[in-house]
Amino acid sequence: ENALVSGIAFQKDQVKITLHGVTDTPGIAYQILGPLSDENIEVDVIVQNVSVNGKTDFTFTVSEEDKSNAEAVLQNLKDVTYDDLIIDSDVAKVSLVGVGMRTHAGVASTAFKSLSDNEINIQMISTSEIKITIVIKEGALESAVKALHSAFELEK
Amino acid sequence: ENALVSGIAFQKDQVKITLHGVTDTPGIAYQILGPLSDENIEVDVIVQNVSVNGKTDFTFTVSEEDKSNAEAVLQNLKDVTYDDLIIDSDVAKVSLVGVGMRTHAGVASTAFKSLSDNEINIQMISTSEIKITIVIKEGALESAVKALHSAFELEK
Ligand SMILES: C[C@@H](O)[C@H](N)C(=O)O
Ligand SMILES: C[C@@H](O)[C@H](N)C(=O)O
């Protein structure tokens, strides 16, 4: 397993923004991201899961610096309605970087096991072939990084 | 924008599996992924968004080949309860690959605009710094790839 994970990256200065209850119709993702991009707000992780009953949640992270700017943009969106705008600054992002993650569900399960053993709750998950990104409570960052380093036998 | 996106990858043979309504407590992600990994089931995109009222949805993709195996594993999970198991084979995965996506929310917004202009609904989104992955209906794959190629002026 170790050869697969080459490193662990993390970022504290993250703010998680969720548009809860957007309608799942073509164009909504653009109508959220377009105005943010027009304001040069750097959006990092974007996660949207499948809709249930025609609505879904659209979550992304921005830096602390862009937080109030992003909030202003989202409160003035034209063609997008949502049930709730949830902004949470008490988060950190942790990424496991490697190669060939996809062929090894074992990497993800090893990572999730080490967090579980340390009672760390995973708030968001976003993966690609070469990277697993999770969002957790900021206060859990240090123990999460420690747990993952030891699970994958990486140098600190 | 174009210099940022170096290519578009896609995969038809994907099955989207959603555990709707899992409890958002430490260990649940491991208790879902662990048994799948024990069965050597290759899990590709994993997406989980923030919970609302203590529950969230956990979605991932597997190949058609692993579909029935994965279904059997999920129906026998020990410590995980969920409201619904939703399996959808009518999906395809499209990924935009590039560098420095994060600093350019414009890349994501350009991609989402081109899909919106072609009335293509985005079912799932998962991004990292160098890749945007979306899941759409399988029938929309050809027009999505065409739309994205022209939005980023890539050779077919
Ligand atoms: C929710 C949002 O992703 C919508 N499905 C869209 O295509 O834009
Ligand atoms: C839902 C699941 O991700 C849970 N929060 C966990 O930490 O495992």
Side-chain angles (χ1 to χ4, degrees):
Chain A
E1 218 78 277
N2 306 339
L4 291 170
V5 177
S6 54
I8 293 169
F10 57 89
Q11 226 172 327
K12 273 191 134 157
D13 149 33
Q14 293 274 296
V15 179
K16 182 181 73 185
I17 300 179
T18 299
L19 290 175
H20 172 52
V22 296
T23 38
D24 183 20
T25 52
I28 296 295
Y30 170 60
Q31 281 153 357
I32 297 168
L33 236 8
L36 290 165
S37 151
D38 293 346
E39 291 289 321
N40 282 323
I41 293 169
E42 193 182 299
V43 167
D44 192 347
V45 186
I46 305 173
V47 169
Q48 180 217 310
N49 208 338
V50 293
S51 63
V52 184
N53 306 327
K55 283 192 167 175
T56 185
D57 299 338
F58 190 91
T59 304
F60 57 89
T61 62
V62 297
S63 66
E64 284 287 344
E65 215 177 292
D66 281 335
K67 179 178 153 190
S68 49
N69 214 0
E71 190 169 2
V73 167
L74 296 171
Q75 282 166 346
N76 292 311
L77 290 178
K78 296 222 180 0
D79 306 312
V80 179
T81 58
Y82 49 82
D83 299 336
D84 214 354
L85 174 60
I86 308 162
I87 298 182
D88 180 3
S89 294
D90 181 22
V91 293
K93 187 184 86 165
V94 182
S95 296
L96 270 117
V97 190
V99 283
M101 296 284 197
R102 188 149 59 98
T103 43
H104 297 271
V107 174
S109 106
T110 303
F112 296 160
K113 175 162 176 24
S114 78
L115 297 166
S116 161
D117 291 348
N118 288 271
E119 289 293 317
I120 296 167
N121 193 50
I122 305 168
Q123 294 182 16
M124 278 164 75
I125 302 172
S126 163
T127 67
S128 76
E129 285 79 41
I130 58 147
K131 191 177 212 143
I132 297 174
T133 298
I134 61 165
V135 170
I136 57 177
K137 233 179 170 31
E138 190 161 332
L141 181 60
E142 207 177 304
S143 64
V145 173
K146 249 189 213 128
L148 291 167
H149 269 116
S150 80
F152 292 101
E153 296 163 34
L154 293 167
E155 285 315 307
K156 284 276 177 299
Chain B
E1 220 72 286
N2 304 341
L4 290 170
V5 178
S6 54
I8 294 170
F10 57 87
Q11 226 175 322
K12 275 190 132 158
D13 151 32
Q14 293 273 297
V15 179
K16 181 182 74 183
I17 299 178
T18 300
L19 290 175
H20 172 53
V22 297
T23 41
D24 184 18
T25 52
I28 296 295
Y30 171 60
Q31 280 152 359
I32 297 168
L33 243 341
L36 290 166
S37 150
D38 292 346
E39 291 289 318
N40 284 322
I41 292 170
E42 195 180 300
V43 166
D44 192 346
V45 185
I46 305 172
V47 168
Q48 181 217 309
N49 208 335
V50 294
S51 65
V52 181
N53 306 326
K55 283 192 168 177
T56 185
D57 298 340
F58 190 93
T59 303
F60 56 90
T61 62
V62 297
S63 68
E64 284 287 348
E65 212 179 294
D66 280 335
K67 178 179 155 190
S68 49
N69 214 0
E71 190 170 359
V73 167
L74 296 171
Q75 281 165 347
N76 293 313
L77 290 178
K78 294 212 182 16
D79 306 314
V80 179
T81 58
Y82 48 85
D83 299 335
D84 215 348
L85 174 60
I86 308 160
I87 298 183
D88 181 1
S89 293
D90 182 22
V91 293
K93 188 185 87 165
V94 183
S95 297
L96 271 116
V97 191
V99 284
M101 298 284 203
R102 186 147 64 95
T103 42
H104 298 273
V107 174
S109 112
T110 302
F112 296 161
K113 176 163 172 27
S114 78
L115 296 165
S116 162
D117 291 348
N118 288 271
E119 287 295 317
I120 295 167
N121 194 52
I122 305 167
Q123 295 184 15
M124 279 164 75
I125 303 171
S126 160
T127 69
S128 75
E129 286 81 52
I130 58 151
K131 190 179 219 157
I132 297 175
T133 298
I134 60 166
V135 171
I136 57 176
K137 236 179 163 34
E138 190 161 332
L141 181 59
E142 207 174 305
S143 64
V145 174
K146 251 190 209 124
L148 292 167
H149 269 114
S150 81
F152 293 101
E153 296 164 33
L154 294 167
E155 287 313 308
K156 284 281 176 299

